[in-house]
Amino acid sequence: MAQDDFFIAEMQSLSVEGSGKTRSAIVPPAAQGEGFKEAYDWTTLWYDALADGRRLRLICPKLLNFKAFLADGALKVDGQPARIRRTHRHRRHDIVEINLPAGAERISARSGRWQGESGISPVQTAHFAGLNASLHISRNNQLDWIEDWARFHVAEHGLEAMLLMDNGSDAYPPQAILDAMARAGLKRGVVLNVPQTYGPVRSKTGGGGAKFLQPAMLNHARLRFLSRARAVLNADIDEIVWSRGGSVFDAAVESPLGLVAFEGCWTSPAMDSEPPFRHADHLHPEVGVGPCPTKYCIRPDGWRRHLGWDVHRPALPLPMRLLKRSDFGYWHCRAITTNWKAYDRLQPRLSTEADPFAAETFARLLPQ
């Protein structure tokens, strides 16, 4: 494994901790579920400060009342007042663009007597240029799950590179993830350390979600690493993308819009089987559940470079059903989880007999 091909990246983040101020809660108190206060991001001002030529982008959680930290005169670059060019406001994150003097190294913000600063991260799009890449956010997923996911998609789709945003894993060091990527046959890989809180997830009754991190990080990945990739697959480690039509990357490249979308279905191991489980154990489609939301593969170049990315779709003003393909889909593997959302995913589910297509595909690509 060449060190230049596989590396660990850091972000230049800034928290307002110590300022005496906290972010407004985006969820009303009555809708805040159990653990909301512990999981909510009360203090992050920006996740990363990203230099791209003469432009600096601050990748932020939803700013809300933290706009005051970025008001006129509050931002400085290397001690000099900075001018905000524009702010891109999204549903769950914001991106602030600032003019960047040549050679700048630090950016600071202030409010009252408090001041904080961070360094500036470089754009690293050359690392993934021209490659079929995937991106993921992960915390403590088993290393064999990560390796199996990559190995399957290398063989079935021609995956060449992986960006994994590690959200504070404490079961292993980042280098262990890089080693798993290399064993799977990837050409290049990056582990980006993302220590900030993921945010409170929705309760079973549907309320209380305030997940700023994942959508912000998808767009951070697009801008810092992936804008020159050949095509990018957005799928989680528990989602195996199957094909009846060749490579999903080729399909995205050949699509008139440079984008393909596909639904998933929940699958489980056999009812009488015992853990530990791998992807290849998930041969049984579940009964009584609807399709999983779409995932997608996209070319990030051309006019698509202006599209924001989100978990289940890019910010394209078209219904996803118009882009949905039936020759691609994904198996949402029920037991590939640490059960961190406390949704009882490890409880047995009513399922059908083994799907012959899944059995054949896993036997070919992930033989046990």
Side-chain angles (χ1 to χ4, degrees), residues 97-118:
E97 292 187 2
I98 298 167
N99 290 329
L100 184 67
E105 297 181 349
R106 309 289 294 178
I107 179 168
S108 64
R110 68 173 175 80
S111 178
R113 296 183 178 180
W114 177 90
Q115 179 171 309
E117 67 172 14
S118 78

Side-chain angles (χ1 to χ4, degrees), residues 39-364:
Y40 191 69
D41 192 331
W42 299 102
T43 60
T44 300
L45 183 54
W46 59 72
Y47 296 118
D48 204 1
L50 184 59
D52 185 1
R54 300 300 297 273
R55 173 169 50 189
L56 180 70
R57 291 187 178 98
L58 303 177
I59 314 298
C60 307
K62 199 64 188 165
L63 285 168
L64 304 174
N65 60 311
F66 278 10
K67 294 175 186 176
F69 287 95
L70 309 180
D72 289 345
L75 282 175
K76 291 186 177 181
V77 176
D78 285 350
Q80 299 301 311
R83 185 175 70 86
I84 294 177
R85 297 171 57 164
R86 63 180 300 182
T87 299
H88 302 269
R89 294 182 174 87
H90 303 273
R91 185 165 64 95
R92 292 185 289 178
H93 72 287
D94 293 320
I95 298 177
V96 179
E97 292 187 2
I98 298 167
N99 290 329
L100 184 67
E105 297 181 349
R106 309 289 294 178
I107 179 168
S108 64
R110 68 173 175 80
S111 178
R113 296 183 178 180
W114 177 90
Q115 179 171 309
E117 67 172 14
S118 78
I120 296 172
S121 295
V123 165
Q124 295 169 283
T125 55
H127 193 69
F128 291 92
L131 299 179
N132 296 330
S134 65
L135 77 161
H136 320 265
I137 191 163
S138 173
R139 175 179 168 82
N140 286 334
N141 276 303
Q142 293 180 19
L143 294 171
D144 54 10
W145 295 346
I146 296 171
E147 182 176 344
D148 282 354
W149 193 99
R151 191 182 303 279
F152 181 101
H153 293 84
V154 167
E156 186 74 339
H157 296 283
L159 175 70
E160 298 172 291
M162 177 184 281
L163 170 62
L164 189 143
M165 300 170 285
D166 187 68
N167 190 207
S169 293
D170 53 15
Y172 41 72
Q175 183 61 46
I177 304 173
L178 294 180
D179 293 341
M181 292 180 181
R183 289 194 301 268
L186 292 166
K187 295 178 181 178
R188 292 184 178 173
V190 172
V191 173
L192 177 68
N193 279 327
V194 181
Q196 288 83 5
T197 180
Y198 183 81
V201 300
R202 290 183 180 274
S203 66
K204 289 183 179 180
T205 57
K211 299 179 292 183
F212 303 132
L213 185 72
Q214 188 169 9
M217 286 298 99
L218 292 176
N219 288 283
H220 174 271
R222 174 177 62 89
L223 295 168
R224 181 171 172 180
F225 295 103
L226 296 172
S227 63
R228 295 170 58 193
R230 178 175 183 260
V232 179
L233 174 61
N234 173 30
D236 295 332
I237 296 299
D238 61 349
E239 298 168 346
I240 292 286
V241 180
W242 56 260
S243 170
R244 297 184 187 269
S247 164
V248 72
F249 298 104
D250 291 348
V253 169
E254 295 163 5
S255 166
L257 289 177
L259 171 69
V260 293
F262 40 87
E263 287 182 341
C265 70
W266 282 106
T267 56
S268 290
M271 292 285 288
D272 58 353
S273 58
E274 296 289 337
F277 295 116
R278 306 282 282 270
H279 293 89
D281 297 312
H282 289 73
L283 305 180
H284 301 265
E286 295 182 1
V287 175
V289 293
C292 301
T294 55
K295 289 300 177 78
Y296 59 93
C297 186
I298 187 171
R299 281 181 56 182
D301 63 350
W303 63 270
R304 289 162 296 270
R305 70 185 183 276
H306 301 298
L307 293 180
W309 295 354
D310 211 328
V311 178
H312 296 294
R313 59 171 297 152
L316 188 68
L318 285 173
M320 290 300 280
R321 59 180 173 78
L322 299 179
L323 305 170
K324 191 168 58 179
R325 298 276 291 259
S326 60
D327 50 350
F328 298 101
Y330 66 93
W331 292 307
H332 203 165
C333 299
R334 177 72 69 177
I336 302 301
T337 181
T338 60
N339 216 28
W340 63 278
K341 288 185 179 179
Y343 283 176
D344 298 326
R345 274 185 55 171
L346 300 180
Q347 293 298 315
R349 297 302 202 280
L350 182 62
S351 57
T352 64
E353 295 296 317
D355 174 14
F357 175 59
E360 182 278 325
T361 302
F362 279 122
R364 174 168 52 90

